[in-house]
Amino acid sequence: HCEVKTEHPTCSRQHAAFVQDEVIGLCLVDLGTQNGTFVDSAKIAPFTAVPITKDSVVSFAHSTRQYAVNLSFDGEERQKSEMYARITTESAAPDGARGSAESTEHTAF
């Protein structure tokens, strides 16, 4: 369980939620707020799970405070991340060509 108290007047009492997805890992969901939630300066759509990477920067509403995400993992979590990267790369390759996970940006969870 993780709570972040923003104490900013433009933030809702229950503004956003971190969600652990079995396939894509850690995500952030805006809970339908009026002033929005931002990942890497981009406003995310309400009620949509947005992947959070080890380098993500999160902010809420009109607050100027930014939260850097610091994730670390090993073993099974790393294997899931690498598998997701391979699947994403292979499905995005044109005409059956296979890509390399190392040469493609991917989300590490």
Side-chain angles (χ1 to χ4, degrees):
H1 181 73
C2 173
E3 286 187 16
V4 177
K5 289 197 174 233
T6 60
E7 297 184 7
H8 193 274
T10 62
C11 293
S12 302
R13 260 183 269 147
Q14 293 186 346
H15 197 93
F18 286 99
V19 178
Q20 182 68 29
D21 182 89
E22 288 183 15
V23 176
I24 60 175
L26 184 65
C27 298
L28 184 63
V29 177
D30 178 271
L31 299 177
T33 63
Q34 182 176 1
N35 295 311
T37 300
F38 302 82
V39 175
D40 299 327
S41 300
K43 188 174 184 177
I44 64 175
F47 303 108
T48 302
V50 174
I52 298 296
T53 69
K54 63 182 175 129
D55 299 318
S56 292
V57 177
V58 176
S59 58
F60 304 99
H62 299 295
S63 173
T64 57
R65 185 170 290 170
Q66 296 184 322
Y67 300 87
V69 177
N70 183 9
L71 299 176
S72 63
F73 52 87
D74 59 350
E76 187 177 330
E77 293 298 320
R78 183 173 300 280
Q79 289 173 350
K80 283 182 185 178
S81 173
E82 290 169 356
M83 175 71 79
Y84 178 72
R86 283 193 299 273
I87 291 168
T88 302
T89 301
E90 290 173 5
S91 65
D95 300 323
R98 293 196 177 256
S100 165
E102 289 77 28
S103 66
T104 302
E105 280 190 44
H106 64 278
T107 306
F109 304 97

